[in-house]
Amino acid sequence: MSEHDQKELTHEERIAQIAGMIKDIKFAMLTVSTDEGHLHSHPMTTQQTEFDGDVWFIGSKKSEQVACMRARPQVNVSYSNPGKGLYVSINGTAALVEDPSKLDELWSDFYEAYFPQGKTDPDIQLIRVNANGAEFWESDGKLHTLFAFARQKLTGKGGNDLGTNETVRL
């Protein structure tokens, strides 16, 4: 899809495009900015909700990650599926949310390993990342893409068959 075509997509179509890319990726890396100004990434479990412009996570109120988001809410969430040649980076603003009905929606028994008191554990922190924009890279995920990349780096030729890179505003 060309840049011109991208501008023709509606907001809802852009959301659906990103949703389709990340829906089956189980884990994401959530990047925050520390007190020292360093970027720090943490693996997070992707929630089984449809991406609608927001990404949801469950974290610990006592974690450094949550403290960083409280002070500096600008974050990045990255997804990768190397087998499909798919990489997505979402930038957004984190909100620390208290919402028992949303927790009910997101909760699974998996979290009891982290929160022994279950859904009533006072340490549970819902995290909503409201996406500002995203960038994605797609290739066919096959070996010839690797060779095309190597050829481009060595010869300066053949860059058109490396896949797609798009940036979208959400």
Side-chain angles (χ1 to χ4, degrees), residues 125-144:
Q125 179 63 69
L126 289 176
I127 302 163
R128 182 186 69 230
V129 176
N130 179 259
N132 298 321
E135 187 166 4
F136 64 88
W137 298 263
E138 281 185 296
S139 69
D140 61 14
K142 295 182 181 171
L143 196 54
H144 92 267

Side-chain angles (χ1 to χ4, degrees), residues 49-69:
T49 58
E50 182 72 22
F51 176 72
D52 61 1
D54 291 335
V55 180
W56 287 89
F57 299 105
I58 295 175
S60 165
K61 289 180 181 175
K62 294 183 253 178
S63 69
E64 175 192 17
Q65 183 180 36
V66 166
C68 289
M69 285 183 275

Side-chain angles (χ1 to χ4, degrees), residues 1-158:
M1 185 176 294
S2 72
E3 184 177 329
H4 181 307
D5 293 337
Q6 182 63 46
K7 291 178 184 174
E8 293 176 13
L9 292 179
T10 66
H11 178 74
E12 292 76 20
E13 290 169 330
R14 289 183 188 127
I15 296 286
Q17 180 183 31
I18 300 300
M21 291 178 178
I22 67 173
K23 73 177 181 170
D24 294 324
I25 301 176
K26 185 70 177 156
F27 299 100
M29 294 296 286
L30 175 60
T31 304
V32 298
S33 179
T34 67
D35 290 340
E36 296 81 21
H38 301 148
L39 299 178
H40 192 191
S41 298
H42 304 81
M44 300 293 284
T45 302
T46 300
Q47 299 306 307
Q48 298 302 312
T49 58
E50 182 72 22
F51 176 72
D52 61 1
D54 291 335
V55 180
W56 287 89
F57 299 105
I58 295 175
S60 165
K61 289 180 181 175
K62 294 183 253 178
S63 69
E64 175 192 17
Q65 183 180 36
V66 166
C68 289
M69 285 183 275
R70 187 175 291 114
R72 291 163 302 284
Q74 292 302 313
V75 299
N76 193 83
V77 181
S78 58
Y79 295 88
S80 73
N81 187 337
K84 292 186 176 181
L86 177 64
Y87 304 88
V88 179
S89 176
I90 298 172
N91 66 76
T93 306
L96 305 177
V97 177
E98 301 294 329
D99 183 342
S101 63
K102 189 65 173 180
L103 180 59
D104 284 341
E105 178 187 334
L106 300 176
W107 186 261
S108 75
D109 292 340
F110 165 82
Y111 289 107
E112 289 182 12
Y114 299 98
F115 304 103
Q117 297 175 41
K119 287 188 277 187
T120 61
D121 195 310
D123 188 37
I124 293 173
Q125 179 63 69
L126 289 176
I127 302 163
R128 182 186 69 230
V129 176
N130 179 259
N132 298 321
E135 187 166 4
F136 64 88
W137 298 263
E138 281 185 296
S139 69
D140 61 14
K142 295 182 181 171
L143 196 54
H144 92 267
T145 301
L146 178 61
F147 287 122
F149 179 74
R151 183 177 68 227
Q152 179 186 6
K153 287 298 182 189
L154 292 173
T155 67
K157 298 177 184 174

